[in-house]
């Protein structure tokens, strides 16, 4: 099946630890995105990448880092510098010319 | 700054009632508009989209939306809701064509009473 796979689905982390969320797509999409979803806040863009080995900051990039070494993969690292990391993280991809985003099922990170 | 506003945080309806969820965006140029839905425990999925042409767009599951350029609006409608429509609905706008980022509204939670 074609789609976007995020892992892990649930993750617990102690304060001060970095954690990496995985996102893989087999849709052959050029662009990939990371959003953060908080209750009542909608979706806010963390980072996006339109091509391999290139990525740009979104609206709330502080405390996060990404890489795009392969077209299929766009992992997100939540660093200890992120002040409020407990959230639901969504990965998405798109064909650039259509603009429509396809989403993964999300990863819920809880910092203890 | 560009933004997308959804007027209602939580809407509660009885089955068979008509639905209209408001969405406004703040940009006067080229814009692509979307409505996404997130059913409980499921991933976000596209309901419908508008790029150009007929401003009345039909989507899945009987939903439709109307693009009114003069009002910067893209309201979502359904003539008769069902309990299975209970979900959170997000309006989104891609500013500046396909190269722009997708900006989401804060979402509207719809609860349909059986």
């Amino acid at each position: 099946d074609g789609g976007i796979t995020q892992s892990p689905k649930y993750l617990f982390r102690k304060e001060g630890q970095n954690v990496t969320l995985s996102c893989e797509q087999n849709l052959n999409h050029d662009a990939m995105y990371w959003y953060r979803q908080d209750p009542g806040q909608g979706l806010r863009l963390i980072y996006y990448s339109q091509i391999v080995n290139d990525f740009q900051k979104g609206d709330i990039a502080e405390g996060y880092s990404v890489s795009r070494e392969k077209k299929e993969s766009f992992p997100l690292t939540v660093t200890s510098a992120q002040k409020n990391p407990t959230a639901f993280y969504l990965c998405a991809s798109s064909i650039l010319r259509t603009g429509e985003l396809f989403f993964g099922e999300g990863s819920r990170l809880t910092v203890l | 700054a560009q933004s997308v506003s959804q007027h209602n945080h939580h809407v509660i309806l009885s089955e068979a009632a008509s639905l209209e969820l408001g969405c406004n965006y703040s940009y006067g140029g080229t814009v692509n508009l979307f409505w996404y839905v997130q059913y409980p425990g499921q991933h976000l999925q596209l309901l419908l989209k508008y790029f150009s042409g007929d401003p009345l767009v039909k989507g899945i599951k009987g939903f439709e939306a109307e693009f009114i350029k003069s009002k910067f609006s893209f309201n979502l409608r359904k003539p008769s809701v069902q309990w299975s429509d209970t979900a959170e609905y997000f309006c989104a706008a891609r500013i500046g064509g396909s190269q722009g980022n997708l900006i989401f509204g804060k979402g509207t939670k719809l609860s349909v009473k059986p």
Side-chain angles (χ1 to χ4, degrees):
Chain A
D1 270 8
I4 300 174
T5 303
Q6 288 186 240
S7 63
K9 203 167 180 177
Y10 299 96
L11 186 61
F12 296 88
R13 179 195 104 178
K14 290 183 183 176
E15 274 194 33
Q17 288 180 335
N18 291 356
V19 63
T20 297
L21 307 179
S22 168
C23 178
E24 304 276 331
Q25 55 104 354
N26 60 5
L27 299 168
N28 199 31
H29 286 172
D30 295 305
M32 296 187 74
Y33 310 80
W34 275 104
Y35 286 89
R36 173 180 168 138
Q37 185 179 10
D38 296 286
Q41 295 288 320
L43 277 70
R44 292 180 291 169
L45 183 64
I46 304 173
Y47 267 98
Y48 66 101
S49 167
Q50 296 187 337
I51 194 169
V52 173
N53 292 324
D54 189 40
F55 47 83
Q56 284 77 42
K57 291 181 180 180
D59 300 318
I60 55 164
E62 187 176 346
Y64 299 99
S65 65
V66 292
S67 62
R68 187 89 186 273
E69 296 175 6
K70 299 186 298 182
K71 188 175 182 178
E72 311 82 48
S73 178
F74 192 42
L76 174 75
T77 297
V78 184
T79 76
S80 55
Q82 169 47 235
K83 292 191 170 97
N84 187 19
T86 294
F88 190 55
Y89 291 90
L90 287 165
C91 179
S93 69
S94 73
I95 303 172
L96 284 176
R97 68 179 182 279
T98 69
E100 174 187 343
L101 263 59
F102 293 80
F103 285 88
E105 293 194 347
S107 293
R108 188 169 296 281
L109 171 64
T110 303
V111 175
L112 305 171
Chain B
Q2 294 132 4
S3 64
V4 174
S5 300
Q6 291 184 241
H7 314 301
N8 310 101
H9 178 62
H10 191 186
V11 172
I12 303 172
L13 295 173
S14 298
E15 275 195 317
S18 65
L19 170 72
E20 181 159 5
L21 301 182
C23 172
N24 287 90
Y25 61 93
S26 62
Y27 183 71
T30 302
V31 61
N32 304 148
L33 296 159
F34 306 80
W35 275 98
Y36 283 86
V37 61
Q38 190 173 36
Y39 296 104
Q42 294 188 28
H43 64 278
L44 272 154
Q45 53 188 284
L46 184 70
L47 264 182
L48 48 78
K49 61 187 176 186
Y50 172 79
F51 281 15
S52 63
D54 188 345
L56 185 61
V57 180
K58 298 213 183 283
I60 60 171
K61 305 189 181 189
F63 286 92
E64 64 178 32
E66 185 174 13
F67 170 58
I68 303 180
K69 191 173 181 179
S70 60
K71 295 184 178 179
F72 299 92
S73 70
F74 190 56
N75 292 355
L76 181 71
R77 301 195 292 246
K78 186 170 183 179
S80 175
V81 294
Q82 302 171 318
W83 177 78
S84 57
D85 293 323
T86 295
E88 191 157 16
Y89 293 81
F90 294 92
C91 182
R94 187 180 287 273
I95 308 295
S98 64
Q99 298 299 315
N101 287 330
L102 204 59
I103 302 168
F104 283 83
K106 293 189 175 181
T108 297
K109 203 166 282 190
L110 172 66
S111 299
V112 180
K113 297 181 191 175

